[in-house]
Amino acid sequence: MLPCTGRIDESLLLKAFENGADGVMVIGCLEGDCHYVNGNIRARARVERVYTILEQINIGPERIRMYNLSAGEGAKFAAFTNEFVDQVQELGPSPINLVRGNGLKKSEQEVQAT
Amino acid sequence: MITGTPKPIEEILEMLEPYNNIVVAGCFGCVTVCRVGGDKEVQVLSSTLRLAREAAGKKIEIREVCLERQCDPEYLEPMRPYIEDYQAVLSIACGAGIQFMAEKFGKTPLLPGINTGFLGVTERQGEWTERCQGCGDCVLHLTGGICPVTRCAKSIFHGPCGGSVEGTCEVDKEVKCGWQMIIDRLVSLDQMENYGKLKPYKGWDASRDGGPRRIIREDMV
């Protein structure tokens, strides 16, 4: 877990896929509500760059997504997480996990939330 | 600084097709500043290549390095002990750095990971524009600090030409006429007398017309 999405950069997100994640969910504070002014805005730009990279290398851009939530929105967090997990399960294992021979059941457990 | 842009990933993957064990080498110089070839870009490119190659069923091993500069011999030397353990080096330094590394390590193929651009400045994050073509005979003191060689599409020394319309260049309406900029600047500096001091032609003997150039500073060698 990172204290601020402003610390996230493209290489960390790609590393998650290298380490076997089928999907990566990035959750930052609400826009305009960043303790460090624009950490979450920077994170969004970086997530969008990774989105483009994943599209270029056929991993699938829909395997990464950024959400903005406040610390008080527990129910929304759960709803977003379920929504993303459903989306990734529908996509199935990433091409990396398919090559590595990792099955769907394992990949279901490996959906990572940041 | 020397600017550049990343090569398309498909082009890099095609270059790397014969190899499965490479070095990706960045540079902490200009290409770090313009966010195309620094340590961070080495990490992102390496991850991207590993993912793409593994997904295609052809894994690649990558050693990630970032040198202080690829255009100075002392910073290349630390690579010598291990470079022949790898089949190729994908360098994301400028063309000068890549070529210098190729010269120093004759047995290892060098591949370019970026397209080198121009000598330019940062307008804002993510936008760079050209300022200097290294013509070897600077006249900025006579032109209000605006380079006619670079800023004029024709590099003429007696502009503006007939293609200058309302301050823009005929090659592209987004491009300002370099000579209109020079004259406006000389007027604001009250230095229009400099306009008459310019040579009617420019000698290009200090530029690239004689082939690749060399500087020898006798006081330093």
Side-chain angles (χ1 to χ4, degrees), chain B residues 96-108:
Chain B
I98 298 170
Q99 290 184 62
F100 207 36
M101 194 183 287
E103 286 168 33
K104 298 295 176 192
F105 306 126
K107 290 184 177 172
T108 306

Side-chain angles (χ1 to χ4, degrees), chain A residues 9-11 14-15 17-18 42 46 49 53-54 56-59 95-96 99-100, chain B residues 9-10 13 35 40 43-48 50-52 54-57 64 125:
Chain A
D9 69 31
E10 296 89 329
S11 62
L14 290 167
K15 272 272 182 274
F17 287 99
E18 282 195 75
R42 289 172 190 268
R46 291 165 190 162
R49 273 183 227 128
I53 291 171
L54 294 177
Q56 287 170 338
I57 60 176
N58 301 319
I59 300 287
I96 298 297
V99 168
R100 289 176 186 170
Chain B
I9 197 72
E10 308 82 53
L13 285 167
R35 301 269 300 268
K40 190 175 156 183
Q43 293 170 30
V44 173
L45 178 58
S46 299
S47 277
T48 304
R50 278 192 294 263
L51 284 168
E54 189 171 355
E64 301 174 19
Q125 185 170 310

